[in-house]
Amino acid sequence: MRRTVFLALAIVASGVLAYLLTGGTYALGSLSLVMVWAIAGMGMVIIIGNTGQLSLGHAAFMGIGAYSTAMFIEALPGVYPGMLLGTLVGLAIAVVFALLIGLPALRLRGYYLAIATIAFGVGVEQAIRAVPFPNPVFNIPHVLGGVPAGYMRDITTFFLIAAIFLVFFTIGRVILQSPFGVKFRMIRDSEVAARSYGTNLTRNKLQAFVISAVFCAIAGSLFAVTQGVLQPRTFGLMAAIDLLLIVIIGGAIMLEGGLIGSFIIVGLPALVLEEIAPAGSLTLIYGVLLIVFVVALPSGIATGLVLVWHRKLQPPYMAAIRFVHKLLPVRGNTVVTKSGTRMFYTEKGEGSPLLYLHGNTGSHQWFREVMDVPGYRTIAVDLVNFGRSDRVEVAGDIDAYADHVSDFIESLDIGPCYLVGHSLGAGVAMSLAMRHPKKVRRLVLVDPAPIDGMELDDDFYALIRTIRNSYRGLRSSIARSMGTRAKDTRLAKRLSREALLMNEEGFIKHAKALASLDLRDRARGFKTPTLVVHGGMDPIVSEEQSRRTAEALGAELTVVDGVGHALPIEDPEHFKEVVAGFDVA
Amino acid sequence: MNAFLQAITIGIPQGALYGLMGFGIAMIFRSAGTLNFSHGYSAMVSVLITLTTIEWFFDAGIVEGHAALFAAIPVGLISGAVFGVLIDLLLMRRVKHVSPASMLMITLGLLLVFEGTANLVWSPDYESFPRILPGPPFIFEGTGALEEIRVVFRRNDLAVMLIALVISLSLAAVMKYTKIGLAIRARGQDPVGAQAVGINTNRVDSIVWGLALLLATVVGILVAPITRVHPTMLMNTQLLGITAAVLGGFSSLFGAVWGGLMIGVLERVIDIFPALDGYETAIIFFLIILVLVFKPQGIFAPKQGRKA
């Protein structure tokens, strides 16, 4: 859906841009033609890029759609009945032909399939030539014949075609994301694997073939009723090669490739190049481009753009999000501790002080829903290197983080306080309570960083790099740590943006610090009353690890079933009960 | 009956041209493994070069009249061979690793390059081209019981048939009795084995490309008087040449020639029936799909227990 909206905006923007650049609505006509070809191009994306069947006959399906529409308009009284019926009949004929040709031809591979489909395409072109019907066809009524010719018609046609294009784009997306699309891609990647999985190769190839034929037939019908003139040549071998150029240059994997390719192959010549380029030079250039793309850039422009986006543009994109997010106002205060470090915190309520320490990639926002604990003055602080607190040089030094929290407690004069740490914050809380026992009255550790260190997989650092270099990766990682509330996209979005405020070095260094954490020696003689709370479905810290932490500290262990790593987010009420209940006891 | 005979007399020379075209396409396919979709288009450029050379001879006054054609033909043929070698050296040798589909698209790109060049350097206009054997057609009229029969045979077709025959026989001899012919066949059957016995397969590929496009240029020069010279003059000949190669089965080179003859005759025979007039190419192409599906090894291929 987001891609459809984005594409719609891009189309409208290009229409406005074309109007502004040329000062007329003629360009909108060219863009309409681009979208008509793009619909056929999407058909090619489905059959070539996603099913891996090189068909050079699909221009024939455009011809079938176009000529059928033109003939029915001619034969029936009134324009629209003919247009509608012609389009439908064209579709039906295209489907029948696709079945007739596809059923035998799709058993072939490589060259043979290409020859068979070219034979089909040229055969249909020749047959159209021979049909007793005036050829070329002139004066096909326009789809918006009611609108007087001129700029109004250009604009309305543009929006009509854009709407139809977007409908087919959405249909294509749905198909490619459905099990059908998965099977298509499986066939593309390995027919043997697809067959051993139980895929009916012929049936699925045929489905893709028919679907793409439908896209092409619709494009042909639209071509007829927007261009008004048809020649058999329009849908001959050259059109087949044009369709190939569209998908290969635009990108055969993503449906957007159809639009990009169509813009380059159909749009650019119609808009500018035909005026300035000498005859033949365009064909020459497109020939060279086809070879270059096949050899050097087989994934085409659309996929190329996606790759550039993921490989090159993510850091600036994330920096931009961080910049905007920092500008947004946030309720809270900043205090300067005795070391001169500014620390940001929020507080709520009156009573004995209750201090929350958030986990890795977190901030005070993780405790937003648990700030009102009756009888307490709850304070949520951003640890140094996190959120809106200062960045310090010792990224990943848990003890240093604890010292800064100790300074913070002094600055606010809230010690000894009731301390609640979550995940990495629990590690900080342990360190604080062990080395500054007088500042901590009671301690609750929620899904704590294991006291004897976290176990990291071999591919963990690769994962961290992904998270660091991809906003989407970061978001899915945050969502994962949100446990049962992973589906709450608004919250995930907010917490992801908060995570961006973290010192970037922390991505690697916090993980390393949690891996090498070992507080077991210091835990001897630990006296602070402590409760370890473990989420039964925690995917990050295991119950066994939490049990070891609790034993080392001589603490109670409570396992909360049905929640993951983030009790304060997943079940705020229960979290508050646990926190309040432990203090009373 | 008369119409049938007439169809055959026109169809056989036409089919011989498809056959020669198919022969070159099959040769490249067999040896270098590429189905060359730009075959006719590069030959078209060679025909344009021939035509330009003829005009240049006229303008310069070096050669007079019909002799200019014969003086220019070697230039055209050499250009064809040069194109072939260049395509192999500059492009095909570098992309041997790609899949058949990609290879096909590369040759389609070449097709566009040649068509664009023709439009850019020459023009999209139709130009006439001299016949090898100009003059009125032969007319055979039957007598007595065969009085009904009146068959027209174009004089140029005699040249076409003779040339096609000579080329086919000499190619057969080259393939069978010369070392290079042996090397080409060996390269096609077992590239690794060919290399092991000291055949430079890269050079063989270049020779094959050069020879095949030279052959295509011959076809182009013979077809040009009928189609006239323009950028898409050899499109149908090329498509039907590929069809001929399919019909003959890519496994046997001379199958392509027989396939071409069949197509040429079939084309004219379909033409006899008024209801099918105009549909002959369409019908042939639909037939070829059936051949591809049910007898992909070609209709002349012997029955084989397993794939060789």
Side-chain angles (χ1 to χ4, degrees):
Chain A
M1 195 60 210
R2 259 180 64 191
R3 265 161 78 179
T4 309
V5 173
F6 179 74
L7 208 56
L9 290 176
I11 289 170
V12 172
S14 67
V16 172
L17 195 68
Y19 176 75
L20 293 178
L21 285 178
T22 59
T25 49
Y26 165 76
L28 291 184
S30 301
L31 289 180
S32 302
L33 184 61
V34 166
M35 287 185 283
V36 168
W37 277 91
I39 293 176
M42 291 193 295
M44 302 304 280
V45 167
I46 292 173
I47 188 74
I48 293 183
N50 282 275
T51 321
Q53 308 299 311
L54 179 62
S55 165
L56 293 168
H58 272 62
F61 294 120
M62 287 183 77
I64 289 170
Y67 270 87
S68 151
T69 308
M71 284 171 152
F72 271 84
I73 293 175
E74 182 88 4
L76 290 184
V79 174
Y80 286 102
M83 221 174 260
L84 212 61
L85 198 63
T87 308
L88 289 178
V89 171
L91 264 186
I93 299 175
V95 168
V96 170
F97 268 90
L99 288 171
L100 282 179
I101 297 302
L103 194 59
L106 288 168
R107 287 139 59 97
L108 305 169
R109 295 202 190 105
Y111 287 128
Y112 293 96
L113 175 63
I115 298 174
T117 51
I118 270 196
F120 164 68
V122 178
V124 167
E125 183 206 346
Q126 299 284 343
I128 288 176
R129 269 180 213 280
V131 167
F133 188 69
N135 252 329
V137 193
F138 291 111
N139 298 326
I140 302 165
H142 195 272
V143 61
L144 292 172
V147 184
Y151 70 96
M152 264 319 283
R153 188 191 277 184
D154 286 340
I155 294 171
T156 42
T157 309
F158 175 74
F159 281 106
L160 176 70
I161 301 290
I164 297 173
F165 169 78
L166 288 171
V167 166
F168 276 89
F169 176 78
T170 314
I171 293 174
R173 284 268 294 161
V174 170
I175 290 171
L176 287 184
Q177 283 179 336
S178 70
F180 289 107
V182 175
K183 282 180 187 164
F184 294 166
R185 286 189 289 279
M186 215 155 122
I187 291 172
R188 173 194 68 189
D189 293 340
S190 165
E191 293 201 355
V192 178
R195 193 184 300 160
S196 63
Y197 183 75
T199 310
N200 185 335
L201 289 186
T202 312
R203 183 195 290 170
N204 284 301
K205 284 184 194 174
L206 201 58
Q207 284 162 349
F209 200 75
V210 168
I211 291 167
S212 57
V214 165
F215 274 68
C216 289
I218 290 288
S221 298
L222 289 174
F223 185 94
V225 296
T226 53
Q227 303 302 306
V229 183
L230 293 183
Q231 298 181 50
R233 200 159 45 105
T234 319
F235 307 108
L237 182 61
M238 275 304 141
I241 297 180
D242 279 347
L243 280 178
L244 190 65
L245 279 167
I246 285 174
V247 281
I248 296 302
I249 293 180
I253 315 270
M254 294 165 58
L255 289 171
E256 284 89 341
L259 188 63
I260 295 174
S262 174
F263 183 77
I264 293 172
I265 303 301
V266 179
L268 286 184
L271 286 171
V272 276
L273 297 178
E274 256 166 19
E275 307 281 324
I276 52 171
S281 58
L282 280 181
T283 318
L284 183 63
I285 292 168
Y286 286 144
V288 173
L289 278 182
L290 181 57
I291 297 172
V292 167
F293 268 84
V294 168
V295 174
L297 297 160
S299 54
I301 291 177
T303 312
L305 287 177
V306 171
L307 287 181
V308 167
W309 168 246
H310 282 297
R311 289 190 186 152
K312 305 273 186 232
L313 296 177
Q314 280 292 309
Y317 174 58
M318 290 164 85
I321 293 177
R322 180 189 304 128
F323 180 78
V324 172
H325 188 65
K326 259 189 174 167
L327 292 181
L328 300 177
V330 157
R331 192 194 305 256
N333 307 307
T334 303
V335 65
V336 181
T337 63
K338 66 181 179 192
S339 63
T341 314
R342 286 178 304 162
M343 294 187 77
F344 183 89
Y345 67 97
T346 54
E347 61 175 308
K348 191 168 191 178
E350 297 291 328
S352 69
L354 165 59
L355 180 59
Y356 288 139
L357 302 181
H358 60 79
N360 195 9
T361 68
S363 80
H364 69 274
Q365 294 268 341
W366 283 65
F367 298 101
R368 231 168 75 134
E369 290 161 53
V370 292
M371 291 302 280
D372 51 335
V373 185
Y376 288 95
R377 176 188 175 199
T378 49
I379 301 166
V381 65
D382 284 354
L383 294 171
V384 289
N385 279 342
F386 287 93
R388 289 160 190 78
S389 291
D390 270 354
R391 294 182 175 196
V392 296
E393 291 197 358
V394 281
D397 185 338
I398 300 288
D399 286 344
Y401 287 4
D403 291 340
H404 281 286
V405 175
S406 163
D407 290 352
F408 174 79
I409 292 172
E410 271 177 38
S411 303
L412 256 63
D413 194 20
I414 49 174
C417 65
Y418 181 16
L419 191 60
V420 177
H422 170 227
S423 195
L424 174 139
V428 175
M430 282 187 260
S431 167
L432 179 66
M434 286 164 181
R435 293 181 305 121
H436 309 275
K438 287 183 181 153
K439 291 201 168 105
V440 182
R441 190 159 52 79
R442 275 172 179 269
L443 185 60
V444 172
L445 305 173
V446 185
D447 297 289
I451 193 164
D452 50 354
M454 200 106 132
E455 290 157 19
L456 300 184
D457 302 345
D458 289 343
D459 52 9
F460 184 79
Y461 291 101
L463 185 72
I464 292 280
R465 262 194 300 282
T466 314
I467 293 169
R468 188 181 166 172
N469 293 321
S470 151
Y471 183 59
R472 187 182 279 194
L474 177 69
R475 262 184 69 166
S476 64
S477 156
I478 295 285
R480 196 172 87 104
S481 56
M482 280 161 50
T484 51
R485 260 181 91 179
K487 292 266 156 66
D488 186 341
T489 47
R490 274 187 63 186
L491 184 65
K493 199 168 167 180
R494 201 175 68 223
L495 294 181
S496 303
R497 292 184 174 177
E498 287 288 312
L500 282 177
L501 299 177
M502 185 178 84
N503 186 346
E504 285 104 332
E505 285 180 39
F507 279 110
I508 298 281
K509 290 196 172 163
H510 290 156
K512 279 188 177 163
L514 292 177
S516 59
L517 188 73
D518 191 351
L519 302 172
R520 281 173 294 184
D521 286 345
R522 287 193 208 147
R524 292 198 190 98
F526 186 72
K527 293 209 180 63
T528 315
T530 303
L531 170 70
V532 174
V533 182
H534 182 83
M537 288 155 49
D538 189 336
I540 296 166
V541 180
S542 71
E543 192 177 329
E544 181 52 37
Q545 286 171 323
S546 290
R547 175 162 295 123
R548 284 208 297 271
T549 305
E551 276 168 13
L553 297 171
E556 267 181 64
L557 174 69
T558 305
V559 176
V560 184
D561 287 326
V563 297
H565 188 64
L567 184 60
I569 282 178
E570 294 173 55
D571 194 347
E573 292 307 318
H574 190 71
F575 175 83
K576 285 188 283 186
E577 275 171 33
V578 170
V579 167
F582 180 60
D583 201 26
V584 170
Chain B
M1 182 64 197
N2 187 34
F4 193 70
L5 273 180
Q6 180 69 69
I8 291 174
T9 47
I10 297 180
I12 285 179
Q14 193 68 31
L17 292 176
Y18 300 151
L20 286 185
M21 200 66 150
F23 186 95
I25 290 169
M27 198 154 83
I28 295 178
F29 184 77
R30 287 256 297 152
S31 142
T34 305
L35 182 60
N36 182 20
F37 256 94
S38 66
H39 209 73
Y41 283 77
S42 56
M44 173 267 297
V45 174
S46 293
V47 173
L48 278 169
I49 290 173
T50 315
L51 187 63
T52 311
T53 315
I54 294 174
E55 283 162 2
W56 183 74
F57 280 146
F58 272 138
D59 294 344
I62 301 170
V63 194
E64 294 292 316
H66 203 61
L69 171 64
F70 294 101
I73 284 176
V75 178
L77 296 184
I78 290 169
S79 77
V82 169
F83 281 145
V85 174
L86 284 182
I87 291 174
D88 183 53
L89 283 182
L90 299 180
L91 188 61
M92 291 307 170
R93 188 167 292 180
R94 289 155 209 274
V95 295
K96 275 186 180 156
H97 57 281
V98 304
S99 69
S102 302
M103 192 66 102
L104 189 89
M105 290 191 260
I106 289 171
T107 65
L108 283 172
L110 275 178
L111 181 157
L112 294 179
V113 168
F114 283 118
E115 194 192 336
T117 310
N119 276 317
L120 192 64
V121 180
W122 288 276
S123 74
D125 300 336
Y126 284 54
E127 311 258 0
S128 58
F129 194 90
R131 291 187 178 84
I132 304 246
L133 278 183
F138 305 110
I139 298 173
F140 301 100
E141 293 195 55
T143 50
L146 302 172
E147 206 172 340
E148 294 286 303
I149 290 183
R150 186 173 180 279
V151 173
V152 180
F153 187 74
R154 289 179 297 200
R155 196 175 285 255
N156 198 48
D157 284 352
L158 187 64
V160 170
M161 282 174 68
L162 281 176
I163 292 171
L165 192 65
V166 169
I167 289 180
S168 299
L169 290 178
S170 47
L171 277 175
V174 166
M175 293 303 257
K176 189 146 194 187
Y177 298 114
T178 64
K179 270 194 165 172
I180 181 65
L182 192 62
I184 291 173
R185 284 185 291 148
R187 160 80 177 91
Q189 281 173 10
D190 184 354
V192 180
Q195 279 174 339
V197 297
I199 294 171
N200 182 342
T201 51
N202 276 340
R203 187 178 298 163
V204 169
D205 286 353
S206 291
I207 291 171
V208 165
W209 271 94
L211 201 59
L213 285 191
L214 186 144
L215 202 54
T217 311
V218 172
V219 176
I221 288 171
L222 294 175
V223 167
I226 307 166
T227 62
R228 289 186 288 163
V229 183
H230 57 95
T232 53
M233 60 179 279
L234 284 171
M235 184 173 86
N236 268 353
T237 312
Q238 173 190 313
L239 288 173
L240 290 169
I242 293 172
T243 311
V246 169
L247 211 54
F250 281 108
S251 52
S252 95
L253 290 176
F254 290 95
V257 176
W258 291 117
L261 288 173
M262 280 183 60
I263 291 169
V265 172
L266 189 63
E267 207 178 20
R268 293 298 136 211
V269 169
I270 295 171
D271 233 8
I272 295 172
F273 305 99
L276 297 177
D277 189 22
Y279 288 102
E280 63 268 4
T281 325
I283 290 171
I284 287 173
F285 281 130
F286 287 120
L287 284 179
I288 214 63
I289 298 176
L290 298 181
V291 172
L292 272 173
V293 172
F294 295 108
K295 214 141 181 350
Q297 68 274 42
I299 52 175
F300 302 117
K303 275 207 168 150
Q304 286 169 327
R306 62 184 178 86
K307 271 189 184 171

